[in-house]
Structures are given as structure tokens and as C-alpha cells.
């Protein structure tokens, strides 16, 4: 169930926040001005998977919703990159693909694990590109050892709780 939309800084700007945030669908405002100020800014986030889409849904150019993982009986949560399963003794909540900003953009973003059955915001396929953008993450050989990693192969991930 979607709780909101993923927000972050613009993909081509060097300033602003670097993390992806889960913005609620029902924001509350206090004191505000409706005129555009010269301040920080936050944008929605679009999936960019035109060249390869490993997900069950066609996500390209759709805006990305967010959810919050909460398991009452388990207090620890971790994201395991480059694996689609959890270590022994941990419970898998979901697995999917590692995503972040494009390596050549001026912005810096966190790596996040996107469920292989990811959803999108209905009616959002407009290719706005006025947003933070999510790209699949590939292994790059060099200081990352090839084998076991493979140059250009999309990395998986798993979200695990204990």
C-alpha cells in the first residue's frame, strides 16, 4: 500500500538534499508563502528503466510511490545489496533491484532497494524529467572484483528484518 510519493532533489542540481524521502499524500502546512522563493526544493521521483525493465510492471517514466516497512515483532531492518535473499536467521520482507541516481548526474542519492513488483503513481507516465530519477545499478569492474561481480549486470537487493 502506497503511503506517498518518493521525493528528492532535482536530478541535475548539485545542491539540496541527497536522500530519497517518503513524502505523504496529505501534507500539512503551517506558515507559508505561495510565491516561489530562492530556497531549497524537493521534486517527485520518476523511474528511468527504458533500456531494461526487470520489474513485473512497466515503470518507465512513471512517478514512484513509497511505503514504510514496519514489522511489529521485529526491531532490526537492513537492506542487503547485491543479494535477493537474506542471511540465515533474518526474514525477507521483499527483494528486488538496487536503484539510485544516474552515475553522471550532478546530484548524489542513496542506494535504495525497489521491490521487483514495484508500483507506480497511477496516471503519472508523462516523462516530466523535472524530478529525482531512479536508475538500476550495475556492477562496474575494477576496484569491484569481476568475478564474482559481472560488468554491466543489474544488481539485486533484499530488505530483511530480525
Amino acid at each position: 500500500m502506497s503511503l506517498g510519493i518518493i521525493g528528492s532533489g532535482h536530478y541535475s542540481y548539485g545542491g539540496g538534499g541527497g536522500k530519497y524521502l517518503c513524502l505523504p499524500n496529505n501534507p500539512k502546512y503551517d506558515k507559508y508563502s505561495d510565491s516561489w522563493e530562492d530556497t531549497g526544493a524537493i521534486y517527485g521521483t520518476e523511474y528511468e528503466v527504458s533500456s531494461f525493465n526487470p520489474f513485473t510492471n512497466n515503470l518507465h517514466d512513471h512517478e514512484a510511490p513509497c511505503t514504510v516497512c514496519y514489522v511489529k515483532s521485529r526491531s532490526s531492518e537492513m537492506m542487503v545489496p547485491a543479494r535477493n535473499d537474506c542471511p540465515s536467521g533474518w526474514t525477507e520482507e521483499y527483494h528486488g533491484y538496487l536503484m539510485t541516481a544516474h552515475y553522471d548526474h550532478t546530484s548524489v542519492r542513496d542506494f535504495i532497494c525497489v521491490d521487483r513488483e514495484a508500483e507506480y503513481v497511477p496516471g503519472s507516465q508523462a516523462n516530466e524529467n523535472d524530478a529525482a530519477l531512479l536508475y538500476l545499478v550495475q556492477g562496474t569492474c575494477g576496484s569491484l572484483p569481476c568475478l564474482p561481480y559481472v560488468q554491466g549486470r543489474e544488481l539485486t537487493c533484499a530488505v530483511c528484518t530480525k
Side-chain angles (χ1 to χ4, degrees):
M1 176 180 85
S2 172
L3 292 178
I5 187 164
I6 298 174
S8 196
H10 191 279
Y11 75 94
S12 68
Y13 299 161
K19 291 187 175 217
Y20 291 106
L21 300 175
C22 188
L23 299 172
N25 286 325
N26 56 344
K28 284 187 169 182
Y29 296 97
D30 204 339
K31 294 181 181 178
Y32 60 88
S33 166
D34 282 337
S35 63
W36 181 253
E37 311 292 331
D38 190 18
T39 65
I42 195 162
Y43 298 82
T45 301
E46 289 182 2
Y47 295 109
E48 292 293 324
V49 291
S50 62
S51 60
F52 177 66
N53 180 15
F55 299 98
T56 56
N57 289 318
N58 179 11
L59 301 179
H60 184 64
D61 284 338
H62 283 285
E63 291 162 4
C66 63
T67 60
V68 175
C69 183
Y70 173 72
V71 181
K72 187 176 182 177
S73 62
R74 295 185 289 274
S75 61
S76 297
E77 180 261 339
M78 72 172 169
M79 188 267 287
V80 181
R83 297 282 308 190
N84 60 5
D85 57 4
C86 296
S88 178
W90 290 77
T91 301
E92 180 185 308
E93 299 302 329
Y94 66 90
H95 68 271
Y97 293 90
L98 199 60
M99 298 189 84
T100 193
H102 191 275
Y103 73 90
D104 200 22
H105 288 167
T106 56
S107 60
V108 176
R109 301 282 180 262
D110 290 338
F111 291 95
I112 63 173
C113 186
V114 177
D115 193 318
R116 68 182 173 153
E117 296 178 11
E119 298 176 6
Y120 55 84
V121 175
S124 66
Q125 190 176 16
N127 191 19
E128 301 289 345
N129 278 351
D130 66 345
L133 302 175
L134 282 172
Y135 288 84
L136 292 162
V137 174
Q138 300 175 340
T140 304
C141 295
S143 56
L144 184 68
C146 279
L147 297 172
Y149 290 89
V150 177
Q151 177 78 21
R153 188 171 288 176
E154 288 74 19
L155 295 175
T156 58
C157 57
V159 172
C160 311
T161 58
K162 186 173 185 176

